[in-house]
Amino acid sequence: MQTGASRKPPRFRRNSLSAAIIAIGAMALPPLIASAADIIGREASDDSGFSGQSHTFTSADSGADELIGFRSLLPYTGNLTNNTITVSNSTGSGVAGVETDSGNASGNRLIINSGAYGYAQAAISLSGNATGNAVIINGGTFSEGVIGAGTNDGVASGNTVTILGGAISGIIAGGYIDVSDNTNLGGSGSAINNTVNIESNAADLSNADLYGALYAAAPSSGDIFTGNTLNCCGALKTDHKTGVMRVQN
């Protein structure tokens, strides 16, 4: 496992990935932009944010560009905290538990039981902090990967990915940082103390790369190495060309 690697994560922002997810040091990530093809549980209409709420996506929500539990786009700046998003038997390009432009995202849980998706990520905050968020994968298939939480200029810390089943290709990472488009914000984001837990040999991770944290552009003064951890129940193999850790079949 690499704990501070440079690689574009799955669908961190709403733009076409195609081959970009396998590129090192990929393009800067643009601001969050609403898409008419998104299905959103709750959309902010003021600065109060969302806290302690729940939303469930089912097969009735299939075919979305992105399934988003709770979202707060500018000009609204409320925090998204301690929300729970559950997804079962749906399909879509991706699943994001919560998304915010400038608020903090903390303590949110994204639970996926089944379905087929491009990617999954518990929380995204562009300029705020993303801390203590969790993705729990009980089942389902993911063609691009799973990430705990990401930010551009804030701190992504204490986020976890727990894999109990399913089939995941692409990237699995606890945290993500990209400061490449943040010249006006100082470029000091950090991704620390994030964790990936592989708790079942039943999960098919034969086409997945495992990271504690990732960055698309290294921060000027932030930390992208400290405390990022992989906990795995099975044997691991190392690609000696890249240093990436993978679950041994």
Side-chain angles (χ1 to χ4, degrees):
M1 179 188 68
Q2 293 186 353
T3 57
S6 173
R7 187 172 176 185
K8 179 71 178 289
R11 193 61 187 260
F12 182 80
R13 212 62 70 237
R14 194 169 299 102
N15 57 351
S16 177
L17 285 183
S18 60
I21 63 168
I22 63 171
I24 303 299
M27 68 187 74
L29 303 177
L32 297 173
I33 299 173
S35 167
D38 292 339
I39 297 178
I40 304 164
R42 295 284 304 277
E43 180 88 57
S45 58
D46 56 35
D47 290 334
S48 60
F50 297 106
S51 180
Q53 300 192 36
S54 299
H55 187 80
T56 298
F57 291 107
T58 67
S59 58
D61 302 305
S62 295
D65 181 15
E66 187 175 38
L67 298 173
I68 306 166
F70 300 92
R71 185 168 70 180
S72 178
L73 301 183
L74 290 175
Y76 306 120
T77 60
N79 298 324
L80 305 175
T81 60
N82 300 320
N83 301 292
T84 299
I85 300 89
T86 304
V87 186
S88 301
N89 298 320
S90 190
T91 62
S93 297
V95 182
V98 302
E99 291 186 351
T100 175
D101 276 304
S102 59
N104 295 320
S106 63
N108 301 286
R109 286 164 48 94
L110 172 61
I111 302 168
I112 300 183
N113 297 315
S114 55
Y117 316 94
Y119 73 97
Q121 184 163 320
I124 300 168
S125 178
L126 292 193
S127 59
N129 298 322
T131 59
N133 302 286
V135 180
I136 300 170
I137 304 297
N138 293 315
T141 60
F142 305 84
S143 60
E144 298 176 12
V146 176
I147 287 182
T151 179
N152 280 4
D153 202 60
V155 175
S157 176
N159 303 293
T160 63
V161 174
T162 300
I163 308 297
L164 296 165
I168 303 172
S169 300
I171 295 168
I172 300 175
Y176 174 74
I177 188 78
D178 180 9
V179 302
S180 58
D181 60 343
N182 283 354
T183 55
N184 294 326
L185 296 176
S188 58
S190 296
I192 59 174
N193 301 322
N194 301 289
T195 302
V196 175
N197 299 309
I198 310 299
E199 297 191 358
S200 172
N201 286 325
D204 180 1
L205 308 180
S206 58
N207 294 310
D209 296 341
L210 311 179
Y211 301 81
L214 284 170
Y215 63 89
S220 60
S221 61
D223 185 348
I224 51 175
F225 295 99
T226 300
N228 295 306
T229 303
L230 168 66
N231 297 315
C232 186
C233 64
L236 296 175
K237 59 182 178 181
T238 302
D239 183 330
H240 295 289
K241 292 183 179 180
T242 64
V244 176
M245 298 299 285
R246 297 182 175 88
V247 174
Q248 178 72 59
N249 290 334

